[in-house]
Amino acid sequence: MLSRGNTAPMFFRLLSKFPQGFSFCFAYGSGVKQQLGYESVRSKRNMIDLIYVVDNAHRWHTANLDQNFEHYSSMRLLGGGLIAKYQESFGARVYFNTLVQIPEEDVIIKYGVVSTKDLLEDLTDWRCLYLAGRLHKPVEIIRNASSSKIQNAMEQNLRSAVHAALLLLPEKFTEFELYRAISNLSYSGDFRMIFGENKDKVNNIVRPQLENFRNLYSATFEEFRGCLELPIAGSDNQICTQDLAEPTILAHLNGLPKWPIRLIVERQTSGRYRQDTEDILVGVSRATNYQSIVASCLRSIVWSSSVWQSIKNIPTAGFVKSVRYSWAKALKTFS
């Protein structure tokens, strides 16, 4: 299960500045979790990234416009209803307000708003592999999920991540390589990795957080004991071993979410659904290039969602903030 960390009082104070009609909230990124190459966690240089999960985006944005009108770009003139429609229409179905100054806490935050139904779809189906990817890694749970549906979907998301990572890994690998493969699922294919992001970002995320990754995935790995052998001592240099028999590979393929399976089927049949999905997956499990097939489909999902979400973020941030945010990312990359 995803456990809740020791939430700082600052987070509770931050939550009090927003409408309370949200069902789940978490913080992620270098502002809350240590990454190599960045200053210490919660440094003034590191923006705090928050995600608010809401049941009714129209109602929440309307209330937030009343409470925090200055957080929004000129899109605030559209009103809560059109902002919610914009949020839920394309990209990763997330609406971001960025570079928001909270002077009384002496911090800068970026917060995204996503509807509960869209979060659930991404977690279970990997339609965008956007927030699902962020939740593959340790995050700070600020408010626990108000429904078991969200918690169950997050646990399913972790199982899916292990299935996918094992499909991409060889028979033997280190514990560090396992967590790196999991973390890289949502970065491989992200066009922002071409420019604006540190090329060692995934390594920098995993290396200082090995113990957090172990805690996050310990219960999930219990379900893979029949096909995955992990080192008992917990050293990241010790060798892990997985079963690469065709039935195991097929089980991992069947364990993938809906959208990766759909892409695999489409690409293996050139878009023609004349073969049974199970027959196609059996064929892929027997193919010598099954790893590249899976990797290509995952990259395609991430590429599409990252491009459209980035385009979508320009008007929500406003031109000036977009330039400032991009410049700050570039400085972090090359510093």
Side-chain angles (χ1 to χ4, degrees):
M1 293 177 64
L2 294 175
S3 59
R4 179 175 179 155
N6 293 322
T7 305
M10 178 190 68
F11 284 123
F12 290 116
R13 294 194 297 270
L14 282 176
L15 292 191
S16 69
K17 300 179 185 301
F18 292 90
Q20 295 305 295
F22 54 90
S23 55
F24 179 50
C25 179
F26 66 91
Y28 65 95
S30 60
V32 292
K33 294 295 181 182
Q34 184 64 50
Q35 293 183 23
L36 297 180
Y38 288 84
E39 294 186 10
S40 61
V41 172
R42 294 171 193 158
S43 161
K44 292 181 182 180
R45 284 189 59 192
N46 297 337
M47 183 165 57
I48 296 174
D49 298 279
L50 294 163
I51 294 293
Y52 290 100
V53 183
V54 303
D55 291 334
N56 188 312
H58 181 174
R59 185 183 305 143
W60 197 89
H61 281 294
T62 299
N64 198 40
L65 283 167
D66 288 338
Q67 196 167 338
N68 298 300
F69 189 73
E70 70 282 1
H71 290 183
Y72 291 79
S73 68
S74 58
M75 288 193 67
R76 60 195 176 191
L77 302 176
L78 298 177
L82 288 179
I83 288 175
K85 187 173 183 180
Y86 185 76
Q87 171 191 310
E88 297 176 337
S89 294
F90 66 98
R93 311 299 196 260
V94 187
Y95 186 100
F96 281 104
N97 285 324
T98 191
L99 295 177
V100 175
Q101 301 274 353
I102 310 293
E104 54 269 39
E105 298 295 340
D106 195 24
V107 296
I108 300 173
I109 68 172
K110 177 181 75 174
Y111 64 94
V113 184
V114 63
S115 296
T116 303
K117 60 182 178 60
D118 291 324
L119 175 67
L120 290 174
E121 183 181 29
D122 197 32
L123 290 172
T124 58
D125 297 346
W126 285 10
R127 187 181 190 279
C128 300
L129 196 44
Y130 191 82
L131 293 182
R134 281 153 177 75
L135 287 165
H136 288 162
K137 298 173 277 291
V139 300
E140 188 84 3
I141 305 298
I142 309 304
R143 178 172 294 180
N144 284 322
S146 61
S147 75
S148 59
K149 285 184 178 181
I150 295 177
Q151 184 63 47
N152 292 339
M154 289 194 293
E155 292 170 3
Q156 181 178 334
N157 183 46
L158 297 183
R159 288 192 294 272
S160 298
V162 176
H163 282 300
L166 292 178
L167 283 167
L168 301 176
L169 286 165
E171 181 180 8
K172 295 183 183 297
F173 46 87
T174 65
E175 186 184 17
F176 171 78
E177 290 170 333
L178 172 58
Y179 296 133
R180 184 176 63 187
I182 289 173
S183 299
N184 198 47
L185 294 173
S186 58
Y187 284 113
S188 180
D190 190 332
F191 91 100
R192 293 171 300 176
M193 296 300 290
I194 300 174
F195 61 90
E197 284 287 5
N198 190 325
K199 299 302 182 289
D200 290 324
K201 185 176 181 69
V202 177
N203 289 342
N204 293 344
I205 289 172
V206 177
R207 182 66 68 184
Q209 291 197 76
L210 281 170
E211 192 59 36
N212 289 335
F213 273 97
R214 289 172 186 141
N215 293 335
L216 180 61
Y217 281 93
S218 60
T220 305
F221 286 150
E222 287 296 315
E223 302 178 34
F224 289 80
R225 294 182 69 179
C227 63
L228 175 63
E229 183 179 336
L230 293 171
I232 298 176
S235 169
D236 61 305
N237 290 319
Q238 287 190 308
I239 300 300
C240 309
T241 305
Q242 68 162 321
D243 178 17
L244 291 183
E246 286 179 11
T248 303
I249 295 171
L250 178 60
H252 290 322
L253 289 168
N254 279 310
L256 293 175
K258 173 183 174 180
W259 279 84
I261 290 178
R262 176 178 175 177
L263 280 180
I264 291 172
V265 170
E266 287 180 351
R267 294 186 178 190
Q268 295 303 111
T269 61
S270 300
R272 298 186 301 272
Y273 290 92
R274 295 183 179 179
Q275 283 181 275
D276 182 75
T277 296
E278 185 65 20
D279 290 339
I280 295 170
L281 294 183
V282 168
V284 172
S285 72
R286 294 172 177 171
T288 57
N289 66 333
Y290 73 87
Q291 290 176 318
S292 63
I293 292 172
V294 173
S296 175
C297 292
L298 294 175
R299 283 197 302 269
S300 177
I301 293 172
V302 174
W303 172 266
S304 178
S305 66
S306 66
V307 168
W308 283 108
Q309 184 63 39
S310 294
I311 294 172
K312 176 181 180 177
N313 288 346
I314 295 173
T316 67
F319 178 75
V320 174
K321 281 189 176 182
S322 294
V323 172
R324 286 174 57 198
Y325 181 72
S326 299
W327 179 248
K329 295 285 281 186
L331 287 178
K332 285 185 177 182
T333 298
F334 298 110
S335 61

